[in-house]
Amino acid sequence: MQPTARPAYVALGGGLLLCALYASRAAEPEGAVLYLLGAASGTALCCVGASRMPPGARHIWWALAAGQALFLLGDVLYVLIENVLGGDPYPSVADAAYLASYPALAAGLLWLVRIRQRGRQRAALLDAAILTTAMATAGFVFIVEPSAAAGGGSVLENVVAGAYPAADVLLLALLVQMFIAGMRANVASWALVGGIVALLVADLGYVASALTDTSHPAWIDLGYLASYLLIGFAAVHPSAQALSEPTPIRSSRSLARLAWLGAALILTPVTEFVAGQDADTDHHGSVVMLAGGCLIALLVVLRMADLVQQLQYKAVELAALARRDGLTGLANRRTWDYELSRVCDAARKEGTTLHIAVLDMDHFKRFNDEHGHTMGDMVLRGTTQAWADLVQGRGFLARYGGEEFTVLLPDMGLTEAEALLDQMRRAVTHDQTCSIGLATWDHRETPADLVGRADGALYQAKGEGRDRIVVSASDRPELAGSAPAPHSPAEEAPEARPAQTAP
């Protein structure tokens, strides 16, 4: 047991003691006082816990505390009307307080579901709406209408009798949605669930006693007391703060979500079938089932549209990842090959110039060995960011592989291309240097041959001392025949070239 959790357990023990005293004195005059003391202690615990919550989760627990307070107000009014004023507490103003507590509790549970699925609120709300509609339809046919019919002759009594089970169905649907959303299994979560379940069981017992026209037994009031205490205990327990943390998406929970939604979809036709076996089913039940079925169909369509939209977003993200290098964010080799082919085709049709440059970090393996790969990654990220700023709007930059990069420079003169590349050479970070090979397309050779000539110029720059730009000899007639034969980057990795490992 954590030391910080001890006050919560002490408070729970005190509340259980009040429950035991009430159970032994339920039939005595002081029984009502003990009941109200237990209810008030649970409500006070919930208020204390809500005041200690982080700002982002405080509204959840204040809503639950408001539900507790309204239910307590209903209990106080019920006791006053029955024991002090000698009147009939049902239906009365006490029922207004009782019924007002359910929306507050439902709001707290709904906010808890939404905050657990932060970033996926639309999906969570649609799932909750589908499940709630299905359960409300079945609840109306099998519980609400029979309860309303047993409420008495007046319209008010029928409305009040039917409102309680309708509110219970709403709480039950949200409780199930908590599990679908991925409830964090800790002391506070199980206490909160236990408190809501105790309330629902007590309400069910009360409805059953109303349907059978018998006085409700003492265990029903104990159920209400347990609900007060468990929700209050959940609020003050330290683990309550973890309930407001977003939950990650897990495949097992996705399967559970599909199972629950599938059950919700078949619940309405099952309800219609079962109700159809009863000859006493009236017109209202049929109308509710029709309306519920139509609403569920609409919600399912919206949910499918939401799923399709999510898949489209994921497809765009995956496509972007497939085109980009993970470390630098530049275009990768696959994207480079596509862009090179496209730009060559455009330059051939329009008769414009096109230059290709291959850039390679000097002695980068040595740098990694001396400073570590983490520092090497920093050099690559910082340098490529500077390069991207220089090339933006003027060319296309890609990571060709390892510490080798390529640049497309369309529609500019050779002098302008050399000036830009010299800026890039001087932009290398952390006192590193790079060598650059440059080639101009002759509109006849293949893109692969063009890259090969640029790589051959890079090889020459490495051999001449590095940290320089070398233009392919075939692009400068005065140097024709003096350059080494061009080769493809695929034929020899940069770190394997003799010129790159020279001091």
Side-chain angles (χ1 to χ4, degrees):
M1 180 189 304
Q2 298 179 357
T4 55
R6 186 169 296 134
Y9 285 101
V10 171
L12 178 63
L16 292 176
L17 179 60
L18 286 174
C19 289
L21 290 174
Y22 169 75
S24 63
R25 302 292 183 89
E28 304 297 328
E30 61 268 22
V33 176
L34 291 172
Y35 175 88
L36 292 178
L37 284 175
S41 64
T43 303
L45 286 177
C46 200
C47 292
V48 171
S51 66
R52 296 177 178 176
M53 290 293 166
R58 200 167 291 165
H59 62 289
I60 298 173
W61 295 94
W62 275 121
L64 296 175
Q68 296 276 69
L70 288 169
F71 212 90
L72 175 61
L73 175 61
D75 282 332
V76 171
L77 293 174
Y78 191 99
V79 171
L80 287 176
I81 294 172
E82 184 178 42
N83 297 334
V84 179
L85 301 179
D88 186 2
Y90 176 82
S92 67
V93 67
D95 293 294
Y98 284 137
L99 292 173
S101 70
Y102 290 92
L105 293 173
L109 294 179
L110 182 59
W111 282 332
L112 182 58
V113 170
R114 291 186 63 184
I115 204 170
R116 290 288 290 163
Q117 295 196 336
R118 187 176 297 157
R120 307 188 297 277
Q121 287 94 340
R122 177 182 170 87
L125 285 175
L126 287 173
D127 290 346
I130 293 171
L131 187 60
T132 303
T133 302
M135 297 185 71
T137 301
F140 181 89
V141 173
F142 296 123
I143 300 176
V144 177
E145 275 206 320
S147 299
S154 69
V155 175
L156 177 61
E157 290 175 335
N158 290 339
V159 170
V160 172
Y164 284 106
D168 288 336
V169 169
L170 174 61
L171 290 183
L172 179 60
L174 290 173
L175 194 64
V176 173
Q177 183 62 23
M178 280 181 58
F179 284 92
I180 297 177
M183 185 187 72
R184 185 181 295 273
N186 58 25
V187 175
S189 65
W190 288 118
L192 177 59
V193 170
I196 299 297
V197 170
L199 173 62
L200 297 179
V201 170
D203 277 351
L204 184 62
Y206 191 86
V207 170
S209 64
L211 290 174
T212 57
D213 199 20
T214 59
S215 59
H216 67 274
W219 69 263
I220 293 178
D221 289 334
L222 286 173
Y224 289 128
L225 276 179
S227 176
Y228 279 114
L229 293 174
L230 288 174
I231 295 176
F233 171 73
V236 295
H237 195 276
S239 62
Q241 296 188 11
L243 298 184
S244 59
E245 297 174 359
T247 180
I249 301 176
R250 298 179 183 174
S251 58
S252 60
R253 289 176 181 170
S254 298
L255 293 175
R257 182 190 299 271
L258 289 175
W260 282 111
L261 291 178
L265 290 177
I266 66 174
L267 185 57
T268 298
V270 169
T271 299
E272 185 175 8
F273 174 78
V274 174
Q277 307 302 308
D278 185 3
D280 296 331
T281 302
D282 62 9
H283 176 67
H284 297 92
S286 301
V287 172
V288 168
M289 285 185 288
L290 176 62
C294 292
L295 180 57
I296 290 174
L298 175 61
L299 292 171
V300 168
V301 170
L302 292 175
R303 187 67 172 93
M304 293 298 294
D306 185 66
L307 286 173
V308 170
Q309 188 179 49
Q310 291 181 25
L311 289 175
Q312 290 174 340
Y313 287 154
K314 292 296 182 183
V316 171
E317 291 177 0
L318 290 174
L321 290 174
R323 295 192 300 266
R324 295 288 170 182
D325 171 60
L327 176 64
T328 63
L330 298 179
N332 58 18
R333 173 68 179 274
R334 176 182 299 178
T335 308
W336 162 263
D337 290 340
Y338 170 80
E339 191 68 14
L340 174 62
S341 177
R342 187 189 69 80
V343 173
C344 283
D345 185 60
R348 180 186 293 111
K349 291 178 180 178
E350 298 172 7
T352 55
T353 59
L354 175 62
H355 309 287
I356 295 293
V358 180
L359 304 85
D360 189 73
M361 296 290 185
D362 295 327
H363 297 303
F364 197 67
K365 184 178 184 300
R366 180 189 304 173
F367 182 88
N368 277 334
D369 292 340
E370 293 177 356
H371 302 281
H373 288 278
T374 300
M375 182 62 69
D377 289 346
M378 290 180 60
V379 172
L380 292 180
R381 282 194 294 264
T383 299
T384 54
Q385 180 59 58
W387 286 353
D389 292 340
L390 290 170
V391 173
Q392 185 176 17
R394 305 170 69 183
F396 180 81
L397 176 65
R399 186 179 185 184
Y400 201 77
E403 64 273 13
E404 192 171 57
F405 301 84
T406 48
V407 186
L408 279 172
L409 299 174
D411 200 19
M412 66 172 61
L414 182 60
T415 301
E416 182 183 357
E418 288 185 90
L420 174 58
L421 291 172
D422 190 59
Q423 287 181 292
M424 296 175 67
R425 181 186 61 82
R426 289 184 279 108
V428 180
T429 64
H430 295 77
D431 297 324
Q432 284 296 102
T433 62
C434 77
S435 300
I436 304 174
L438 175 63
T440 303
W441 191 38
D442 61 7
H443 294 80
R444 296 186 302 275
E445 62 189 330
T446 66
D449 289 340
L450 173 61
V451 175
R453 285 200 300 112
D455 195 64
L458 169 67
Y459 184 75
Q460 183 178 351
K462 293 283 188 180
E464 292 178 359
R466 295 181 171 81
D467 191 22
R468 67 194 62 222
I469 303 171
V470 171
V471 180
S472 175
S474 59
D475 295 324
R476 285 189 170 175
E478 68 274 14
L479 299 178
S482 64
H487 65 285
S488 170
E491 296 176 5
E492 186 174 2
E495 292 297 342
R497 296 171 186 158
Q500 286 183 265
T501 58

